[in-house]
């Protein structure tokens, strides 16, 4: 999926110290961003929270290895550190700051790379991109999954911290995630499954009533119809993510229902345009 990276970086630059990024920060962020956006597989809010988590854990993408020595993890059976030296050996690395022998064993299975024999490989951006995505999506870090906190119409960036590390710095990371979400939307990332068709070939699934060869104007109206619903869904997601809604409107069942209704109404209006159906009748 096309993403205006120049616009994206312009939008997120203010959340970096001094509003500046050096080459290695850009390179690391781009690897994770590309992995998340090129397949049109993930919701914008899900991408935003994964990016925000990596942003926080790596100190603004400045390091791929924990600053601390790892001695504090020595003997931590909950991390699988049962062999002398496991603490420093399996200290935090990569975008999720993977920590502990148990998590490195899991990471080796997921990535197919032996990061147990050589833990430094967990610092490789391409490898750790796979690990942070798999771990947050699958609930492998704490048992909590990203899908429990991010849906098409409900976003709980504060609660989502439980996916990685309880409630530690939850609000700070939520604020960063909101910035990433706005940057993604400004850069043109559309919610997968609802984005408008990109080429005439994408129109082959349109219900046909002698529309086997849609005209250019019909094609454009179809794109407008689908994009209309998509845009409303994206805007509603961004509004929910800001955390500014009153508590009574912030419940998942409410945000899901309202978002779905708004998207459906927007798409219906757009489809009326496609079929030249008037939305009102003059008498």
């Amino acid at each position: 999926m096309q993403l205006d990276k120049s616009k994206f970086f312009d939008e997120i630059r203010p959340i970096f110290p001094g509003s500046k990024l050096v080459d290695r920060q850009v390179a690391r962020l781009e690897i994770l961003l590309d992995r998340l956006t090129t397949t049109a597989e993930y919701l914008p809010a899900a991408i935003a929270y994964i990016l925000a988590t990596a942003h926080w854990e790596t100190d603004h993408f400045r390091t791929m290895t924990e600053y601390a020595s790892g001695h504090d993890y020595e003997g931590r059976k909950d991390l699988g550190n049962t062999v002398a030296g496991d603490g420093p050996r399996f200290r935090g690395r990569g975008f999720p700051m993977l920590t502990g022998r148990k998590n490195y064993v899991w990471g080796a299975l997921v990535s197919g790379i032996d990061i147990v024999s050589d833990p430094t490989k967990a610092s490789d951006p391409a490898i750790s991109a796979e690990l942070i995505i798999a771990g947050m999506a699958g609930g492998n870090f704490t048992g909590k999954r990203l899908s429990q906190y991010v849906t098409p119409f409900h976003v709980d960036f504060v609660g989502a911290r439980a996916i990685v590390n309880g409630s530690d710095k939850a609000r700070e990371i939520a604020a960063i995630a909101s910035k990433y979400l706005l940057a993604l939307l400004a850069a043109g990332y559309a919610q997968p499954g609802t984005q408008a068709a990109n080429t005439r070939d994408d129109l082959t699934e349109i219900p046909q009533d002698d529309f086997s060869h849609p005209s250019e104007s019909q094609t454009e109206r179809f794109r407008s119809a689908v994009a209309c619903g998509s845009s409303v869904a994206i805007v509603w997601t961004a509004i929910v993510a800001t955390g500014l809604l009153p508590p009574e409107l912030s419940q998942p069942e409410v945000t899901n229902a309202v978002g779905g209704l708004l998207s459906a109404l927007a798409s219906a209006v757009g489809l009326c345009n496609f079929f030249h159906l008037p939305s009102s009748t003059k008498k």
Side-chain angles (χ1 to χ4, degrees), residues 2 9 20 27 50 66-67 70 74 115 131 150 164 175 200 209 211 216 257 262-263 273:
Q2 292 296 320
F9 279 99
K20 295 179 180 178
I50 292 173
E66 185 177 6
Y67 293 136
E74 189 71 4
I115 61 174
L131 297 182
V150 176
V164 176
R200 288 182 64 91
D209 179 13
F211 291 117
E216 289 297 328
L262 290 174
S263 181
N273 181 46

Side-chain angles (χ1 to χ4, degrees), residues 9 13 19 37 84 99 112 117-118 125-126 133 232 239 249 263 278 283:
F9 279 99
R13 191 168 286 109
S19 297
T37 60
T99 305
S117 297
D118 184 359
I133 294 169
V232 169
I239 292 172
L249 294 180
S263 181
K283 294 187 178 180

Side-chain angles (χ1 to χ4, degrees), residues 53-54 56-59 63-67 73 90-100 103-104 122-123 128 132 141 164:
T53 297
W56 184 269
E57 298 294 339
T58 62
D59 185 20
T63 181
M64 296 297 282
T65 302
E66 185 177 6
Y67 293 136
Y73 305 130
F90 298 110
R91 63 175 167 156
R93 292 185 177 90
F95 294 128
M97 284 297 149
L98 198 69
T99 305
N103 286 319
Y104 275 70
S123 299
S128 63
I132 192 172
F141 297 138
V164 176

Side-chain angles (χ1 to χ4, degrees), residues 118-270:
D118 184 359
T120 62
K121 290 181 178 179
S123 299
D124 182 281
I127 295 173
S128 63
E130 298 299 324
L131 297 182
I132 192 172
I133 294 169
M136 293 181 70
N140 298 95
F141 297 138
T142 66
K144 301 291 186 180
R145 298 170 180 264
L146 187 56
S147 59
Q148 294 175 247
Y149 303 93
V150 176
T151 71
F153 303 116
H154 176 73
V155 177
D156 180 5
F157 279 158
V158 175
R161 182 57 175 161
I163 300 166
V164 176
N165 194 2
S167 60
D168 179 59
K169 305 298 182 182
R171 293 194 176 277
E172 290 90 333
I173 299 170
I176 295 170
S178 295
K179 297 292 187 181
Y180 273 110
L181 175 57
L182 293 174
L184 286 164
L185 300 182
Y189 187 82
Q191 184 169 317
T194 57
Q195 64 266 30
N198 294 313
T199 68
R200 288 182 64 91
D201 291 338
D202 293 328
L203 302 175
T204 55
E205 298 298 322
I206 300 176
Q208 311 235 346
D209 179 13
D210 216 289
F211 291 117
S212 55
H213 300 287
S215 66
E216 289 297 328
S217 61
Q218 288 169 334
T219 296
E220 290 306 313
R221 288 197 297 272
F222 176 77
R223 290 178 176 174
S224 297
V226 182
C228 190
S230 174
S231 298
V232 169
I234 290 172
V235 170
W236 178 248
T237 300
I239 292 172
V240 172
T242 64
L244 298 177
L245 291 176
E248 59 272 17
L249 294 180
S250 300
Q251 301 303 312
E253 58 271 19
V254 176
T255 58
N256 283 336
V258 173
L261 178 61
L262 290 174
S263 181
L265 287 174
S267 294
V269 172

